């Protein structure tokens, strides 16, 4: 499978993945993006003990075979411990030799927590941080965002550490924002605070991504915007996706899910193929890379990469 991807990158005129080299050096994502389109994955630290952690390490080893340019690791999402983020980023960077993008969320953190995590990441050679406010807990209290009300506050605070910073953006608008335009203005503030690339909320409508990029450029945002794709293979996730992320599921896709939701094998095929359709369209229209939310499942990434490889092999 990696052969297919190597051929695919060669045909697209892309540089070989530096992470494959034995002389791997830690890479800054903004610099990688200046030279090639990227393929990246997102994982989350397990909540439970060492067995789950070791399972994730094996998953990372499997993902490495797909030559990602970087792998991001979430922070505090779903109640995970921030120490685990550092541990997984360390494994990525220093054992698997894959460029790590560590998420940090300012919302639940005090400055001393941020300092501890930033120092631990620096010590381990992690150069890239995705700077976030964080998911608000269900029983939100103002205290939650006492020190870092927004990702911009965290970005400003992290500036002296010299990380390459990325930030989140929302093609359909962030769920708390009163208008798309207000959200775009806030996206620009993130760039002004130091974000050098953006990763979008997962989306099933490429149209919203193209609109986000167009409007971002119109108001002067210049950083690359990486579309986030999460193959939807489990019909139970539909409602959650709308509630948690505000992402619309297109009618044609919803119809397929309704018809086949009791047949998991068919649903899997539909989910993978829909994601592949989105990815081919995004690549054809010039997206600077693809960020796959693989939910710690190497099979998802393998299923997508094998399909993209085959199709692009024929097309280019
Ligand atoms: P912000 O940028 O602070 O935006 C939140 C709201 O405030 C928006 O409505 C925005 O328009 C507005 N806003 C932004 N800046 C300003 C400003 N300066 N002044 C006034 N208003 C402003 N959650 C986790 O808990 N852990 C993770 O690891 C994680 N990873 C993620 C990765 C990606 C790629 C994405 C898209 C989301 C991720 N999330 C994660 C979820 C994210 O934390 C939530 O979506 C959260 O509600 C907003 O985070 P943010 O960084 O976009 O916040």
């Amino acid at each position: 499978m990696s052969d297919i991807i190597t051929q695919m990158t060669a045909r697209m005129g892309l540089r070989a993945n530096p992470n494959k080299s034995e002389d791997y050096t830690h890479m800054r994502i903004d610099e990688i993006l200046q030279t090639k389109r990227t393929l990246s994955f997102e994982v989350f630290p397990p909540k439970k003990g060492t067995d789950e952690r070791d399972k994730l390490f094996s998953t990372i080893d499997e993902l490495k075979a797909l030559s990602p340019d970087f792998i991001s690791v979430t922070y505090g999402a779903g109640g995970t411990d921030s120490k685990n983020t550092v541990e997984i980023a360390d494994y990525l960077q220093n054992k698997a030799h894959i460029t790590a993008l560590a998420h940090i969320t300012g919302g639940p953190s005090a400055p001393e927590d941020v300092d501890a995590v930033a120092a631990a990441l620096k010590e381990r050679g992690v150069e890239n941080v995705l700077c976030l406010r964080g998911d608000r807990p269900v029983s939100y209290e103002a205290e939650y965002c006492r020190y870092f009300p927004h990702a911009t506050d965290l970005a400003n605070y992290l500036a002296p550490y010299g990380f390459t910073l990325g930030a989140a953006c929302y093609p359909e608008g962030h769920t708390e924002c009163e208008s798309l335009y207000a959200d775009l203005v806030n996206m620009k503030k993130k760039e002004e605070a130091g974000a050098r690339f953006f990763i979008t909320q997962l989306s099933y409508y490429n149209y919203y991504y193209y609109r986000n990029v167009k409007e971002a450029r119109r108001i002067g945002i210049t950083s690359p915007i990486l579309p986030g794709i999460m193959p939807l293979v489990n019909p139970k996730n539909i409602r959650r996706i709308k509630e948690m992320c505000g992402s619309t599921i297109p009618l044609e896709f919803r119809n397929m899910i309704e018809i086949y939701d009791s047949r998991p094998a068919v649903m899997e095929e539909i989910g993978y193929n829909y994601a592949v359709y989105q990815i081919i369209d995004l690549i054809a229209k010039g997206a600077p890379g693809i960020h796959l939310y693989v939910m710690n499942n190497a099979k998802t990434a393998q299923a997508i990469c094998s399909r993209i490889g085959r199709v692009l092999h024929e097309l280019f």
Side-chain angles (χ1 to χ4, degrees):
M1 192 182 307
S2 339
D3 278 356
I4 296 174
I5 292 182
T6 310
Q7 283 173 26
M8 168 183 123
T9 49
R11 279 161 189 267
M12 292 170 74
L14 307 179
R15 216 184 50 170
N17 184 346
N19 283 336
K20 288 189 91 176
S21 155
E22 291 308 314
D23 306 323
Y24 164 84
T25 50
H26 300 161
M27 301 288 294
R28 287 181 175 269
I29 292 169
D30 56 343
E31 289 171 7
I32 305 176
L33 280 162
Q34 279 167 23
T35 59
K36 69 193 290 279
R37 281 174 170 167
T38 55
L39 172 69
S40 53
F41 304 131
E42 181 169 308
V43 298
F44 58 88
K47 274 191 226 168
K48 296 192 201 109
T50 41
D51 283 357
E52 289 297 309
R53 188 202 57 195
D54 291 348
K55 210 165 120 197
L56 178 57
F57 290 163
S58 310
T59 300
I60 289 172
D61 295 341
E62 287 179 71
L63 292 174
K64 183 181 162 101
L66 302 171
S67 303
D69 294 285
F70 66 90
I71 293 186
S72 81
V73 50
T74 65
Y75 184 98
T80 52
D81 190 327
S82 58
K83 280 201 257 15
N84 300 342
T85 301
V86 173
E87 186 182 27
I88 307 301
D90 184 29
Y91 184 85
L92 282 165
Q93 193 84 35
N94 298 311
K95 299 270 175 14
H97 300 302
I98 299 169
T99 297
L101 170 61
H103 299 197
I104 302 184
T105 57
S109 311
E112 53 271 27
D113 303 331
V114 172
D115 285 326
V117 172
L121 291 171
K122 274 275 152 184
E123 220 172 87
R124 288 158 180 80
V126 176
E127 302 283 5
N128 304 288
V129 165
L130 194 73
C131 200
L132 298 145
R133 188 210 50 201
D135 281 328
R136 278 179 170 175
V138 183
S139 54
Y140 170 72
E141 285 167 27
E143 191 62 14
Y144 172 77
C145 288
R146 179 165 166 205
Y147 299 103
F148 303 105
H150 291 292
T152 42
D153 302 297
L154 180 63
N156 287 327
Y157 189 79
L158 284 172
Y161 285 95
F163 291 113
T164 287
L165 298 179
C169 68
Y170 301 85
E172 295 183 54
H174 185 260
T175 46
E176 290 160 33
C177 210
E178 69 219 20
S179 73
L180 268 179
Y181 182 73
D183 205 31
L184 266 175
V185 169
N186 291 328
M187 184 178 169
K188 183 139 197 293
K189 287 185 195 160
K190 296 192 204 190
E191 186 174 69
E192 286 159 1
R196 292 290 162 263
F197 62 94
F198 289 92
I199 302 181
T200 74
Q201 182 59 280
L202 53 94
S203 169
Y204 296 93
Y205 250 133
N206 288 355
Y207 161 77
Y208 292 126
Y209 170 78
Y210 300 131
R211 181 182 66 181
N212 185 206
V213 174
K214 192 172 154 207
E215 292 298 305
R217 301 300 175 236
R218 200 172 54 80
I219 68 159
I221 297 166
T222 57
S223 302
I225 301 171
L226 296 170
I229 299 289
M230 188 170 93
L232 179 52
V233 293
N234 184 348
K236 287 195 191 120
N237 287 340
I238 294 182
R239 190 176 300 154
R240 254 182 88 223
I241 284 169
K242 184 69 197 160
E243 278 166 10
M244 284 182 60
C245 315
S247 307
T248 308
I249 315 269
L251 182 63
E252 57 188 346
F253 190 28
R254 274 206 327 263
N255 284 342
M256 283 189 243
I257 295 168
E258 267 173 34
I259 295 166
Y260 295 108
D261 69 353
S262 59
R263 302 176 64 181
V266 181
M267 260 314 301
E268 243 182 46
E269 278 309 305
I270 292 172
Y272 293 147
N273 284 307
Y274 191 83
V276 165
Y277 158 77
Q278 282 192 278
I279 292 169
I280 294 169
D281 182 61
L282 287 161
I283 291 174
K285 297 197 177 113
I290 299 293
H291 187 71
L292 271 185
Y293 294 100
V294 297
M295 307 303 286
N296 293 6
N297 190 347
K299 188 180 150 201
T300 303
Q302 287 157 351
I304 298 296
C305 289
S306 63
R307 285 167 173 82
I308 311 171
R310 281 191 206 123
V311 173
L312 292 184
H313 183 71
E314 295 298 322
L315 285 182
F316 282 76

